[in-house]
Amino acid sequence: MRKLIFPALATAAFVAPASLLAQDASDETIVALEERESPFSEMAERMRDPENQRQMALMLRTMSEVLLDMPLAPLMNSVGEIAGEDAPRVDPDATLRSVAPEADRVPEEIEKNLPRALDTMGSMADAFEQMMPALEQMAERLRDAAPQAD
């Protein structure tokens, strides 16, 4: 049963209600999809913004709380079907929270650690943007050096 729990969780993450992720569309969202001169700088700014970090941490905490309380039996059955194996019998009322009580601390850890992770990702985005000219030059040299396909 343990080897099926993680695939079941992954499946749950993909089938989680879309309403958890839904947000009102705004002009800002549409503008974000347009090509910008420095997309990494803007992304880094958003990742470092404390209010964005707080909102994302709360959203992910809420999503993890929901996933911890989802029934495992239907997920286990689906994973068993996908794997072509008989799924182990699971109590219909079993949830990840009831099967793995230590998972109870995951939502709090997400909320606590996500801002630091976003700060790090923002720094990586800045570094990647600084590397872009060198990467573009490298790509041009590789293109020029590579034999042309007929």
Side-chain angles (χ1 to χ4, degrees):
M1 177 169 156
R2 283 188 177 188
K3 71 179 184 178
L4 291 178
I5 287 178
F6 290 113
L9 283 177
T11 304
F14 287 112
V15 297
S19 61
L20 289 175
L21 301 173
Q23 295 179 355
D24 292 334
S26 67
D27 292 337
E28 186 176 313
T29 305
I30 295 167
V31 171
L33 295 175
E34 295 175 0
E35 194 168 318
R36 306 256 182 163
E37 284 189 31
S38 57
F40 293 108
S41 293
E42 292 177 23
M43 182 173 47
E45 281 181 39
R46 285 193 306 266
M47 287 181 181
R48 288 188 182 132
D49 178 28
E51 182 58 24
N52 281 343
Q53 291 175 353
R54 185 186 71 75
Q55 288 177 358
M56 187 173 287
L58 289 173
M59 179 187 67
L60 290 175
R61 179 184 181 136
T62 302
M63 288 177 62
S64 62
E65 290 282 356
V66 168
L67 289 173
L68 287 174
D69 293 328
M70 286 180 66
L72 288 178
L75 294 173
M76 298 298 276
N77 291 336
S78 295
V79 170
E81 281 181 33
I82 291 169
E85 301 175 3
D86 290 334
R89 289 187 166 262
V90 178
D91 177 6
D93 295 327
T95 63
L96 185 58
R97 192 183 307 269
S98 66
V99 173
E102 65 276 5
D104 238 359
R105 68 177 222 270
V106 169
E108 182 180 327
E109 291 294 321
I110 288 172
E111 185 177 10
K112 179 178 129 187
N113 294 316
L114 188 68
R116 184 176 59 223
L118 288 172
D119 271 338
T120 301
M121 290 168 56
S123 296
M124 290 172 61
D126 278 340
F128 193 73
E129 183 168 26
Q130 291 174 5
M131 291 171 40
M132 282 303 289
L135 292 172
E136 288 170 352
Q137 288 176 354
M138 182 181 72
E140 286 177 27
R141 286 194 310 245
L142 285 171
R143 186 190 59 208
D144 293 341
Q148 299 298 320
D150 292 327

